[in-house]
Amino acid sequence: MADDENGGDRRSFITNASRAAMAAGLVGGYGAFAIVAGRFLYPATSDDVMWQFVTESDGIKVGESIRYRGPSGETINITRRSRAGGADDHIALPSTCPHLGCQVRWEEQNKRFFCPCHNGVFDPAGKAIAGPPGEAGQWLPRYELHVENGLLMIAVPPPRFSDADEKGGVIEGDDCVSGPGHDPCLAGRPRRGGSVA
Ligand code: FES
C-alpha cells in the first residue's frame, strides 16, 4: 500500500514537473519572440534610451523624409513637416508596420505614410487611418527628438548586446530596407525623399 502511494506520488511529481517544464519552455519561446517584435514596433521608454545624432537641424527639407537605423537595428522614418527651427519641425516614427511588419514609407505627394503590403495608411502623426492597421486602431509610436547646437538628435534604444559595435545612422543610397515582416521590399527600393523606384 505504502509502495502504491509512493509510486503515485512519484508519477504525479514527474507529471507536474513535465508540465512545468513545458510551460516554462512555451513562456520562454513566446517571451523571446515578443521581446524581438517589441523592439521593432515600440520605441523604448525614456529610461531606456540613448541620444544619437541624426543630421544637422536643417539637413532635411520640409516635406522630405529620411530613413534612419538605430543602434539596435530598428529602422525609423524621420520626416520634416515645418520650418519653425525646433525639433517639433520633425516627426520620427518606426518604419515597421504594426500590422505584419512590412516597411512603411512617407509619401509626400499624399501627405501620408503608406504600407504597400495590405494598403495600410497612416496620417502624418502616425495614426492608422485605413487598411488593416486602421481597422485595428493602431499607431506608429513616436520617437523623441530634440535639437542641440543645430544638430537633430533622436532617442533610441541602445545596442542589444553590450559589446556590439552598432552605432546607428542615416540609411544612405537606395538599398531596400531590411526588417521583420514579410516581403519588406515589396514596393521596390525606397529613396531619400520618400519616392520609390
Ligand atoms: S503589413 Fe502593413 S498593412 Fe499589412
Side-chain angles (χ1 to χ4, degrees), residues 13 24 54 92 112 125 127 130 135 146 162 166 172 177:
F13 172 77
V54 178
R112 67 180 190 177
K127 180 184 179 187
E135 288 158 19
H146 81 243
S162 57
E166 298 173 83
E172 300 285 358
V177 179

Side-chain angles (χ1 to χ4, degrees), residues 95-115:
S95 70
T96 302
C97 182
H99 178 223
L100 289 177
C102 288
Q103 291 297 300
V104 173
R105 290 153 200 158
W106 172 247
E107 292 183 340
E108 170 60 14
Q109 69 277 23
N110 297 316
K111 300 283 187 289
R112 67 180 190 177
F113 292 93
F114 181 68
C115 178

Side-chain angles (χ1 to χ4, degrees), residues 11-12 15 30 32 46-47 52 72 86 119 127 130 138 149 163 169 171 173 194 197:
R11 274 193 297 279
S12 130
T15 304
Y30 284 118
S46 57
D47 294 338
Q52 291 283 97
S72 65
N119 297 328
K127 180 184 179 187
Q138 293 173 310
N149 299 324
D163 60 348
I171 301 171

Side-chain angles (χ1 to χ4, degrees), residues 52-70 74-81 89-96 103-108 112-113 140 143 145-146 151-154 156 168-177 189-196:
Q52 291 283 97
F53 166 71
V54 178
T55 183
E56 293 175 0
S57 59
D58 59 358
I60 306 173
K61 296 191 184 107
V62 175
E64 186 181 65
S65 186
I66 64 169
R67 291 177 297 116
Y68 176 88
R69 192 186 311 281
E74 69 276 42
T75 50
I76 302 165
N77 289 317
I78 302 175
T79 307
R80 186 161 189 184
R81 304 180 297 181
D89 284 349
H90 305 81
I91 185 167
L93 302 170
S95 70
T96 302
Q103 291 297 300
V104 173
R105 290 153 200 158
W106 172 247
E107 292 183 340
E108 170 60 14
R112 67 180 190 177
F113 292 93
L140 297 169
Y143 287 83
L145 294 167
H146 81 243
L151 305 178
L152 181 64
M153 310 289 290
I154 186 170
V156 287
V170 173
I171 301 171
E172 300 285 358
D174 63 356
D175 61 319
C176 192
V177 179
R189 295 175 177 274
R191 295 178 186 280
R192 189 180 170 92
S195 62
V196 174

